[in-house]
Amino acid sequence: MPGHKGFVLWFTGLSGAGKSTLANKLVAEFQTRGYNVELLDGDEVRTNLSKGLGFSKEDRDTNIRRIGWVARVLARNGVIAITAAISPYAEIRNEIRADVEKEGRAAFVEAFACAPLEALIERDVKGLYKKALAGEIANFTGVSDPYEAPEKPEFVAYTSEETVEQSAERLLAYLQEQGLIFQETA
Ligand code: ADP
């Protein structure tokens, strides 16, 4: 399909920060345009590709490396591979970025879904923060487990300050600017 290159669009951010929402919005947009796109959603991957893995550092790293591997092989074959997993450790995200960039066949775009923890606790879309704060969920990212924000993400969505549409529009504009997707002709 002419019009786009394969690339990895890697969302990272705390639970409820907006990764899946933005990822799904972009998938829908790309499908409408006839692009080759695949979504690797963190919650979904944990029920199949990473079934059985838990939330220790080791298991989290394994889960993210698997997602990274699949995303990389898809992207090098011209697919827009979108991932939406918390991916809390900078080292692992950077390792995946390095693998993708070393191959030189696809770009790696890190998109940080950024919102203050207080806003996420208040929003609590999945009711998980309430449970985590009550000590009912162990190793919960942002509450009882670390989250390392990216230092130099290609894109930041300020999801407690802008609407889903605004974040998505800005992200599409960025991808267009980078020549990763073509401008839509109206
Ligand atoms: P995550 O995948 O990061 O766990 P979700 O996408 O499941 O998060 O939930 C994010 C919530 O935040 C949704 O209810 C969504 O409608 C809301 N939201 C508000 N503004 C934004 C925005 N700019 N981008 C993404 N989500 C947003």
Side-chain angles (χ1 to χ4, degrees):
M1 160 54 96
H4 75 81
K5 297 183 177 158
F7 59 93
V8 176
L9 177 57
W10 190 281
F11 282 99
T12 177
L14 292 167
S15 176
K19 302 178 298 295
S20 297
T21 303
L22 287 173
N24 279 297
K25 183 120 183 117
L26 264 79
V27 166
E29 176 64 30
F30 291 150
Q31 281 173 342
T32 305
R33 297 187 189 192
Y35 291 0
N36 297 317
V37 59
E38 196 60 61
L39 173 63
L40 296 158
D41 186 85
D43 292 341
E44 213 178 290
V45 168
R46 277 190 172 277
T47 66
N48 46 70
L49 182 65
S50 286
K51 197 175 163 92
L53 291 182
F55 292 87
S56 65
K57 166 117 183 28
E58 201 187 353
D59 279 7
R60 282 179 187 270
D61 289 353
T62 302
N63 177 46
I64 298 306
R65 284 193 175 108
R66 286 181 188 173
I67 294 174
W69 187 86
V70 177
R72 176 164 61 85
V73 302
L74 285 170
R76 75 181 180 203
N77 285 291
V79 177
I80 300 175
I82 304 182
T83 73
I86 296 174
S87 42
Y89 295 105
E91 188 190 349
I92 309 300
R93 294 193 306 265
N94 291 338
E95 178 187 301
I96 295 160
R97 172 195 290 277
D99 286 346
V100 172
E101 291 177 350
K102 190 173 63 197
E103 260 184 350
R105 290 172 60 185
F108 183 90
V109 177
E110 191 174 34
F112 179 28
C114 176
L117 184 62
E118 299 72 46
L120 300 178
I121 289 171
E122 199 168 316
R123 191 192 277 169
D124 211 3
V125 265
K126 301 171 213 171
L128 295 174
Y129 283 100
K130 189 162 177 262
K131 286 191 186 158
L133 288 165
E136 289 165 28
I137 308 175
N139 302 108
F140 194 78
T141 303
V143 176
S144 46
D145 220 53
Y147 178 75
E148 299 171 0
E151 280 179 9
K152 281 190 199 159
E154 276 76 11
F155 181 83
V156 183
Y158 297 97
T159 65
S160 61
E161 292 166 21
E162 54 188 3
T163 63
V164 176
E165 289 68 30
Q166 286 168 334
S167 301
E169 286 277 307
R170 285 200 307 109
L171 180 48
L172 285 167
Y174 171 81
L175 296 172
Q176 212 167 278
E177 245 169 60
Q178 296 301 307
L180 292 168
I181 56 171
F182 277 3
Q183 183 152 17
E184 279 292 271
T185 44

